[in-house]
């Protein structure tokens, strides 16, 4: 949502008007940024509404409700207590309301000049002299609106959720929205009989690899936390939580604290890949592979810790008890990764055949930063700085989190060194940099999942734009990359299955290639011509070659594989674009180079 904060240095006792232009039945979102003109080592803000607000979601402050919901008193987290002259203090919140309301909203910050009115209601402010408040001017955010959406990003987002539902392993709930999927892999167990059912199948196969899975869930949660309004306006919030709880529950099962054991894979890769059939019909053994103090894997530990900490932030207002479990487990798994450093694919050789990890510092940095966001404990920030790598990232991907680490550090510290790293990343990715561009305009990083890498980079671009880094340029580029996947390409097809009228019909996906039960499904279905019997709604296929060429062929797993991590940055970028559409802030982009 595009929020206009109209602010000026006003007389004592006045307040900043926070003007909203995006709301829905049950809530609204706003973001206010105020320039700091005096050194602060703690701060208190007052949000006042002329109509009652039921509850407030805000991760940059602790909020206390007052005056029946007409006021919220916000106090700093431990990690953002210090604000320096020249900084900006940004407060981004989602309000939950009864009905569709657009209340007049004001913001006051104590500690600068002038006076602040006493707090209404039951929140006490302590004794001593009344502190003055700040009403400050902020620099204008670059205007990036004026564009018209070529595609329905919200519809695409909703369909992406369904892909993850199709990847579920274990006993499915009564509300399973995928009619051709049933219970599967109910015997997944650890070495001592631990229940390891659940989680997501990795791709078109049936192995559960925890590194791509946890990378996927972290990116999905990041997009949700950044643009909750996108899910709310599309009425997809409940669907999102149903979707994301599936891997989070699985990670909780994978951690055995008494023995410092973290299960990181279920299913033997080669045996699995020799089976072509439904997940429900698997008969082969499914061994579990674990990390221990003598067989470490800090990359998996850091990434799972990141997902659980981000999960805490998502669930804390919805299910406080569950959120607390996510956070405590995140801390334990992070500590395990820190205490026993190592690369997981050197400990689990089977994983190394499929997802060989290049290092663990980036995932541990990410885990530390999400724990810092969740707790405000500055020791995690210090850890993240220690794990940080000063290099331009190759991509955002399941094995490369450097850009995520750098951007999270910049958001937390506003240190220009981290900003320069983010800018360096996009110097490589934007036209004129080191990335190959197809004739029709896709930023083509690699033949394996070119759609995935372009969408992941588009997601990072939208995050960086929100952080105030080259906002107009990055948003425009992100729109162009997502539009390419949805139809602005050589064939005018959507690379997302089920979106629009022209899309791939034969993805490299076992269960989707199978007819309805009880009809048999064998390797013959891999080689069968014609569309898959089941429509794998929401999945994006790997994508085109660097000349834009593409063939819809199930046997071509390079271009037609689907995978959990392929959709993660794509879905979160769609959330960002949906947010911009509803905020009337979608940038105008040139006519596509190709459109079929």
């Amino acid at each position: 949502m595009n929020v206009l904060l109209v602010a000026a240095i006003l007389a004592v006792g006045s307040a900043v008007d926070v003007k909203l232009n995006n709301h829905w039945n049950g809530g609204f979102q706003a973001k206010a940024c105020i320039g700091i003109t005096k050194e602060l080592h703690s701060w208190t803000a007052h949000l006042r509404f002329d109509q009652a607000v039921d509850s407030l979601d805000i991760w940059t402050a602790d909020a206390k409700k007052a005056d029946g919901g007409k006021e919220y008193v916000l106090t700093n987290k431990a990690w953002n207590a210090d604000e320096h002259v020249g900084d900006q203090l940004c407060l981004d919140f989602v309000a939950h309301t009864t009905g569709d309301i657009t209340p007049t909203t004001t913001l006051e910050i104590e500690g600068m000049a002038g006076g602040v009115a006493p707090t209404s209601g039951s929140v006490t402010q302590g004794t001593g002299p009344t502190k003055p408040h700040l009403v400050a001017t902020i620099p204008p955010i670059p205007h990036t609106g004026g564009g018209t959406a070529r595609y329905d990003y919200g519809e695409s987002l909703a369909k992406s959720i369904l892909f993850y539902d199709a990847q579920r392993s274990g006993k499915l709930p009564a509300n399973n929205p995928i009619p051709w999927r049933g219970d599967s892999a109910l015997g997944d167990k650890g070495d001592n009989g631990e229940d390891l059912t659940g989680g997501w199948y990795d791709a078109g196969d049936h192995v559960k690899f925890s590194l791509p899975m946890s990378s996927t869930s972290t990116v999905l949660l990041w997009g949700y936390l950044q643009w909750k309004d996108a899910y709310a306006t599309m009425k997809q919030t409940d669907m999102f939580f149903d979707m994301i709880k599936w891997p989070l529950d699985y990670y909780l099962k994978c951690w055995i604290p008494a023995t410092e054991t973290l299960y990181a894979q279920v299913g033997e890769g080669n045996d699995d890949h020799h089976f072509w059939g439904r997940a429900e019909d698997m008969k082969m053994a499914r061994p579990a592979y674990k990390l221990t103090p003598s067989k470490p894997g800090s990359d998996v530990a850091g990434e799972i810790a990141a997902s659980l900490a981000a999960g805490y932030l998502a669930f804390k207002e919805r299910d406080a008890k569950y959120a607390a479990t996510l956070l405590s487990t995140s801390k334990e798994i992070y500590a395990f990764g820190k205490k026993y450093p190592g690369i997981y694919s050197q400990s689990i050789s089977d994983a190394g055949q499929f997802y060989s990890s290049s290092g663990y510092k980036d995932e541990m940095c990410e885990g530390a930063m999400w724990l810092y966001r969740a707790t405000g404990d500055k020791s995690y920030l210090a850890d993240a700085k220690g794990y940080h790598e000063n290099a331009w990232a190759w991509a955002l991907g399941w094995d490369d989190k450097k850009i995520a680490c750098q951007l999270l550090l910049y958001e937390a510290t506003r240190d220009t060194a981290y900003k320069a790293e983010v800018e360096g990343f996009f110097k490589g990715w934007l036209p004129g940099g080191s990335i190959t561009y197809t004739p029709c305009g896709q930023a083509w990083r690699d033949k394996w999942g070119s759609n995935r890498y372009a969408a992941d980079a588009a997601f990072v671009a939208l995050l960086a734009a929100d952080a105030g880094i080259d906002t107009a340029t990055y948003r425009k580029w992100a729109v162009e990359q997502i539009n390419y996947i949805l139809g602005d390409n050589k064939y005018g097809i959507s690379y997302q299955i089920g979106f629009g009228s022209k899309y791939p019909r034969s993805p490299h996906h076992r269960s989707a290639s199978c007819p309805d039960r009880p009809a048999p499904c064998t390797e013959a279905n891999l080689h069968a011509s014609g569309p898959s019997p089941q429509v794998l709604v929401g999945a994006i296929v790997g994508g085109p070659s660097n000349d834009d060429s593409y063939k819809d062929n199930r046997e071509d797993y390079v271009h037609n594989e689907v995978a959990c991590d392929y959709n993660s940055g794509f879905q979160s970028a769609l959330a960002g674009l949906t947010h911009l559409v509803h905020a009337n802030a979608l940038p105008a982009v040139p006519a596509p180079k190709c459109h079929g």
Side-chain angles (χ1 to χ4, degrees), residues 380-462:
Y380 290 121
L381 179 61
D383 280 0
K385 290 178 178 179
Y387 287 122
H388 160 264
E389 298 165 276
N390 180 15
W392 290 3
W394 183 81
L396 174 65
W398 67 266
D399 183 42
D400 194 344
K401 303 302 183 327
K402 282 191 288 292
I403 185 62
C405 169
Q406 292 159 355
L407 183 54
L408 287 164
L409 279 165
Y410 176 65
E411 288 178 344
T413 66
R414 295 289 158 170
D415 187 324
T416 55
Y418 302 129
K419 179 182 179 182
E421 292 168 350
V422 176
E423 291 171 330
F425 175 79
F426 285 107
K427 284 178 183 175
W429 271 85
L430 266 62
S434 59
I435 297 287
T436 296
Y437 274 74
T438 69
C440 292
Q442 182 178 61
W444 194 91
R445 170 46 97 185
D446 191 71
K447 71 176 184 178
W448 293 96
S450 66
N451 285 334
R452 168 257 312 263
Y453 287 121
D456 286 354
F459 168 55
V460 176
L462 293 170

Side-chain angles (χ1 to χ4, degrees), residues 74-135:
L74 311 178
T75 53
N76 60 270
K77 297 282 191 179
W79 57 269
N80 63 0
D82 293 329
E83 298 291 343
H84 306 294
V85 174
D87 288 348
Q88 283 196 358
L89 174 62
C90 292
L91 302 174
D92 193 342
F93 63 90
V94 174
H96 301 281
T97 63
T98 301
D100 186 356
I101 64 172
T102 53
T104 299
T105 305
T106 61
L107 172 69
E108 292 183 285
I109 306 274
E110 298 181 18
M112 290 295 175
V116 62
T119 302
S120 311
S122 60
V123 180
T124 59
Q125 295 299 295
T127 59
T130 302
K131 295 181 180 179
H133 75 281
L134 168 72
V135 185

